[in-house]
């Protein structure tokens, strides 16, 4: 059995195990068919032309992500978040993206729409991507937390995720990264850094230089929400300089206009 197909089977068995008291069982006939699966899979792979292989890989990644999305949608590991959320916010974008952005958690707009970075901070991120000559559909965007952190009744705004919440939800993000295998990761803000790397430090000490996550180059920069609070041109320029480094790492062409650009 090919690895993507095996992963789908494992994900399905895990869902069965979570929803039932009895462990899943397989008949001898089914096991025999699974043992024969590598031959059929090899024949299918051999018949796929080199030009079709990238498309097939993207489809396989999309299928694997869809299986995780289903598990996330049914997740109740953080009971207080499962009760307060409108819906989970899994991730959006190209499953075969070279560039992946990671934020902290959904806000009110994201909780309503089920998509990350759709509020004011998300609109700014979209403008940053456009200045980099990327569309949102070209990259992949996800958060450390898949549920909006709950707020007391009558309260407004958003609260940062608690360490225990991030630790509980982190495995879903790890799976997303493992499937997408981006060439570059961008962590947006200190909370995303803590959730991804398990470390706390001032953003001024983290941003602007390369880190790594599982051998993937990682650029840390300010969260777009920070730029909405702090409109100083110097802070906006810092984020853009970080994005220029990302473009260089991805070997994207950079024009003189882009080099002199301010957000």
């Amino acid at each position: 059995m090919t690895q993507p197909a095996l992963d789908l089977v494992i994900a399905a068995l895990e869902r069965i195990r979570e929803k039932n008291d009895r462990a899943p069982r397989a008949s001898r006939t089914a096991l025999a068919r699974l043992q024969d699966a590598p031959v059929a899979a090899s024949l299918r792979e051999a018949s796929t032309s080199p030009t079709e292989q990238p498309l097939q890989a993207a489809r396989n990644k999309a299928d694997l992500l869809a299986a995780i999305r289903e598990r996330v949608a049914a997740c109740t590991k953080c009971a207080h978040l499962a009760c307060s959320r409108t819906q989970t916010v899994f991730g959006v974008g190209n499953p075969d993206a070279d560039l992946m952005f990671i934020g902290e958690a959904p806000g009110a707009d994201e909780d309503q729409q089920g998509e990350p970075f759709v509020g004011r901070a998300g609109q700014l991120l979209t403008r940053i991507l456009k200045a980099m000559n990327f569309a949102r559909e070209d990259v992949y965007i996800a958060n450390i937390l898949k549920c909006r952190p709950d707020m007391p009744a009558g309260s407004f705004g958003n609260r940062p995720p608690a360490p225990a919440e991030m630790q509980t939800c982190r495995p879903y993000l790890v799976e997303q990264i493992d499937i997408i295998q981006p060439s570059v990761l961008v962590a947006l803000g200190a909370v995303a850094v803590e959730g991804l790397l398990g470390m706390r430090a001032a953003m001024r000490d983290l941003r602007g230089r390369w880190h790594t996550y599982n051998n993937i180059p990682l650029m840390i920069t300010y969260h777009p929400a920070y730029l909405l609070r702090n409109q100083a041109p110097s802070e906006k320029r810092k984020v853009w300089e970080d994005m220029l480094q990302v473009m260089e790492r991805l070997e994207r062409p950079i024009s003189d206009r882009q080099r002199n650009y301010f957000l």
Side-chain angles (χ1 to χ4, degrees), residues 13-224:
L13 291 175
E14 286 179 349
R15 290 198 299 275
I16 294 172
R17 184 174 61 186
E18 291 173 358
K19 295 179 181 178
N20 297 275
D21 295 331
R22 295 191 306 173
R25 299 179 179 179
S27 67
R28 293 181 180 273
T29 302
L31 290 173
R33 289 177 178 172
L34 286 175
Q35 289 174 345
D36 291 337
V39 176
S42 298
L43 290 174
R44 285 196 300 272
E45 290 173 1
S47 65
T48 303
S49 69
T51 56
E52 293 174 335
Q53 287 172 1
L55 180 59
Q56 184 63 44
R59 286 173 179 166
N60 290 341
K61 289 183 177 183
D63 290 342
L64 293 172
L65 289 170
I68 303 171
R69 183 191 290 270
E70 289 183 18
R71 286 162 45 210
V72 168
C75 182
T76 57
K77 292 177 182 178
C78 300
H80 58 297
L81 299 186
C83 290
S84 64
R85 73 192 181 206
T86 301
Q87 59 189 315
T88 54
V89 181
F90 181 68
V92 67
N94 180 4
D96 202 30
D98 288 327
L99 179 58
M100 181 173 179
F101 288 82
I102 299 170
E104 55 180 66
D109 293 319
E110 290 77 13
D111 178 66
Q112 289 294 324
Q113 298 186 40
E115 183 174 324
F117 283 91
V118 293
R120 290 181 62 222
Q123 292 165 13
L124 178 53
L125 177 60
T126 299
R127 293 202 299 272
I128 293 171
L129 289 172
K130 184 176 180 181
M132 298 170 70
N133 288 332
F134 280 107
R136 279 179 67 101
E137 296 77 19
D138 297 329
V139 305
Y140 197 91
I141 305 172
N143 284 316
I144 299 291
L145 237 61
K146 310 306 184 191
C147 296
R148 184 192 181 198
D150 56 336
M151 296 288 288
S155 299
F156 297 95
N158 302 302
R159 71 163 175 86
E165 293 167 343
M166 290 193 286
Q167 189 65 28
T168 300
C169 204
R170 184 178 183 274
Y172 293 130
L173 177 65
V174 171
E175 288 186 82
Q176 287 175 293
I177 296 172
D178 287 346
I179 290 170
I180 296 167
Q181 283 296 303
S183 300
V184 171
L185 286 166
V186 176
L188 299 169
V191 174
V193 174
E194 181 181 353
L196 189 62
L197 301 181
M199 60 182 286
R200 292 188 181 187
M203 281 298 296
R204 64 178 177 273
D205 299 325
L206 293 172
R207 62 144 296 270
R209 59 188 179 87
W210 288 103
H211 306 256
T212 59
Y213 167 83
N214 281 3
N215 296 319
I216 300 174
L218 169 65
M219 176 57 68
I220 297 171
T221 195
Y222 290 110
H223 194 285

Side-chain angles (χ1 to χ4, degrees), residues 201-258:
M203 281 298 296
R204 64 178 177 273
D205 299 325
L206 293 172
R207 62 144 296 270
R209 59 188 179 87
W210 288 103
H211 306 256
T212 59
Y213 167 83
N214 281 3
N215 296 319
I216 300 174
L218 169 65
M219 176 57 68
I220 297 171
T221 195
Y222 290 110
H223 194 285
Y226 169 80
L227 297 182
L228 293 176
R229 296 190 302 270
N230 189 336
Q231 296 284 335
S234 60
E235 299 305 286
K236 295 180 178 181
R237 179 62 192 181
K238 289 175 184 176
V239 172
W240 184 244
E241 288 173 353
D242 297 340
M243 294 304 97
L244 288 175
Q245 288 197 62
V246 169
M247 293 172 67
E248 289 173 350
R249 180 59 67 100
L250 291 172
E251 298 182 348
R252 304 274 294 194
I254 302 175
S255 66
D256 290 339
R257 182 167 181 257
Q258 285 174 313

